[in-house]
Amino acid sequence: WRERTRTIRADSVIHALVPWLLVTPKFTVTDAAATTGRSFAAVNTAVGRLRDLGMVSQVGADGRDRLFAAEDVIRLFEHPPS
């Protein structure tokens, strides 16, 4: 993930979200905004960018409380490397 986010501005919300995704791999934008203290709009934009980078995917219905998942993280929990 570091390589995927290497070129993103240092003050981007993305850099606050990435570590959080390791402990909260399923989330809504509302959850992420509350956790980071950033605006819904800023977090929504960041989550869209993470989706474009293939780091999260939408797993719930459209709307304000869309559910997203960091599938790579979930896979690590379900199938840890031996």
Side-chain angles (χ1 to χ4, degrees), residues 4-81:
R4 292 185 203 173
T5 59
R6 182 179 50 83
T7 61
I8 296 171
R9 289 186 342 265
D11 64 342
S12 172
V13 177
I14 287 174
H15 296 294
L17 289 175
V18 168
W20 180 72
L21 293 176
L22 297 174
V23 295
T24 314
K26 284 193 175 179
F27 65 96
T28 66
V29 174
T30 301
D31 296 334
T35 299
T36 62
R38 305 288 182 94
S39 71
F40 182 92
V43 172
N44 192 50
T45 299
V47 169
R49 184 85 186 269
L50 290 171
R51 186 184 56 225
D52 294 345
L53 292 169
M55 297 170 69
V56 300
S57 57
Q58 184 176 333
V59 295
D62 285 335
R64 186 169 176 94
D65 288 325
R66 295 168 294 161
L67 185 64
F68 291 90
E71 299 292 347
D72 292 343
V73 176
I74 293 168
R75 269 192 295 281
L76 283 174
F77 282 117
E78 292 175 346
H79 308 287

